[in-house]
Amino acid sequence: MIRREHRRFTGAPKRDTEWNTDLSDGCTLVPDRKDMVHCCVEHDRRYWLREGSRSDADAAYRTCIIEAGRPVLARVHWLGVRIFGWLFWNT
């Protein structure tokens, strides 16, 4: 598993391997909540594979958190990934 401290400063790991869930650190820079960590892992997967656009990945992340019953957190997390997600998308 990738250590949170590594991803915090260097962005996403190099794509010299295929995606697997061990490449995700869960919810980067925020606490992993049991009811929505699967949303964070899926968001990491979309960033890793560059599925669609970054905007699409972030919108799917927000929708997943809303569906997990956390609409207020969805807005906060969505703003976070829209502001800082380019650091991870562009690596």
Side-chain angles (χ1 to χ4, degrees):
M1 179 162 297
I2 297 169
R3 291 189 343 245
R4 191 175 291 257
E5 296 80 22
H6 174 75
R7 292 247 346 243
R8 184 176 298 153
F9 297 108
T10 62
K14 294 185 182 191
R15 284 160 184 77
D16 57 357
T17 185
E18 292 183 23
W19 168 258
N20 68 70
T21 56
D22 290 338
L23 294 171
S24 176
D25 66 348
C27 300
T28 306
L29 303 179
V30 296
D32 289 345
R33 299 181 61 96
K34 287 183 185 180
D35 57 346
M36 58 183 243
V37 71
H38 67 282
C39 301
C40 299
V41 172
E42 175 61 18
H43 187 248
D44 287 352
R45 186 188 71 79
R46 288 174 181 261
Y47 267 51
W48 179 271
L49 297 175
R50 301 292 199 274
E51 284 189 355
S53 69
R54 186 177 143 239
S55 179
D56 291 341
D58 295 346
Y61 177 57
R62 187 175 99 198
T63 299
C64 183
I65 296 173
I66 290 169
E67 291 172 354
R70 302 287 184 177
V72 174
L73 279 178
R75 179 73 172 174
V76 172
H77 282 231
W78 179 79
L79 285 170
V81 297
R82 292 310 299 156
I83 293 168
F84 299 107
W86 66 272
L87 294 167
F88 299 95
W89 185 267
N90 291 332
T91 57

